[in-house]
């Protein structure tokens, strides 16, 4: 079990890992060892996540989620497999925690009387300024 929050835990069976060859530093060793991790998590099929968290996770993850609802995280920051695996899991946990936070409801507000008055005064002043630039018309 992978603990996300006090109420949410993921079963390790829900996470699919593939080890792939990474580009970058490592010399000749980089061509023969699969150190990068590609972590895949099916958001829609996860029984561990509440429906609201699933919806927010798709929004938070953005382009990392494909059309079938699979979240893909690639970790190739480090030169060894175990650190990349931990990095990928950590990034997944952070994404789910961010999605688990309920957004504050928006409370519609109205402009104060003073701000309305200031706005109209500014408009009036701007109009006066433009009027003063006009050429005088003689009759």
């Amino acid at each position: 079990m992978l603990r996300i929050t006090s109420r949410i835990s993921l079963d390790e069976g829900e996470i699919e890992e593939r080890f792939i060859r990474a580009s970058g530093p490592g010399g000749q060793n980089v061509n023969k060892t699969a150190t990068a991790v590609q972590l895949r998590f099916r958001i829609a099929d996860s029984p561990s996540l509440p429906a609201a968290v699933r919806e927010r996770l798709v929004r938070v993850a953005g382009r990392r989620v494909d059309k079938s609802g699979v979240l893909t995280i690639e970790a190739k920051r480090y030169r060894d497999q175990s650190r990349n695996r931990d990095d990928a899991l950590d990034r997944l946990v952070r994404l789910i925690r961010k999605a688990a936070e309920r957004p504050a409801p928006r409370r519609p507000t109205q402009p104060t009387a003073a701000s309305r008055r200031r706005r109209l005064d500014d408009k009036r002043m701007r109009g006066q300024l433009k009027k003063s630039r006009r050429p005088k018309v003689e009759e």
Side-chain angles (χ1 to χ4, degrees):
M1 280 291 194
L2 187 63
R3 193 132 191 90
I4 308 295
T5 65
S6 60
R7 292 183 168 191
I8 301 173
S9 294
L10 285 182
D11 184 25
E12 303 247 349
E14 295 181 52
I15 301 167
E16 182 185 316
E17 291 175 341
R18 263 184 44 206
F19 298 101
I20 54 178
R21 288 192 182 141
S23 60
Q28 293 175 348
N29 194 46
V30 80
N31 299 324
K32 60 186 180 182
T33 57
T35 55
V37 177
Q38 188 179 58
L39 186 139
R40 295 170 58 85
F41 176 65
R42 293 187 176 282
I43 297 172
D45 300 340
S46 176
S48 307
L49 298 179
V53 174
R54 270 188 243 140
E55 289 172 19
R56 285 193 297 264
L57 181 57
V58 170
R59 227 174 309 121
V60 166
R63 289 180 19 208
R64 289 173 281 201
V65 178
D66 62 12
K67 288 183 176 119
S68 59
V70 177
L71 169 65
T72 306
I73 296 175
E74 280 192 19
K76 52 188 174 187
R77 189 181 308 176
Y78 302 105
R79 284 173 62 168
D80 56 300
Q81 201 178 71
S82 62
R83 286 175 72 186
N84 281 329
R85 183 177 182 272
D86 292 342
D87 183 40
L89 286 171
D90 184 52
R91 284 162 48 193
L92 175 67
V93 168
R94 277 188 283 159
L95 270 175
I96 296 174
R97 280 187 185 147
K98 190 172 182 181
E101 291 174 12
R102 194 172 284 134
R106 186 191 175 317
R107 291 190 184 86
T109 59
Q110 292 188 344
T112 62
S115 68
R116 282 194 200 119
R117 198 169 31 256
R118 278 193 304 270
R119 185 178 124 274
L120 293 174
D121 288 344
D122 288 345
K123 282 170 70 85
R124 212 172 288 110
M125 294 293 284
R126 175 65 54 190
Q128 290 294 326
L129 179 68
K130 288 181 176 186
K131 198 173 184 180
S132 71
R133 290 183 190 148
R134 287 188 206 153
K136 301 259 190 226
V137 178
E138 293 180 30
E139 290 182 28

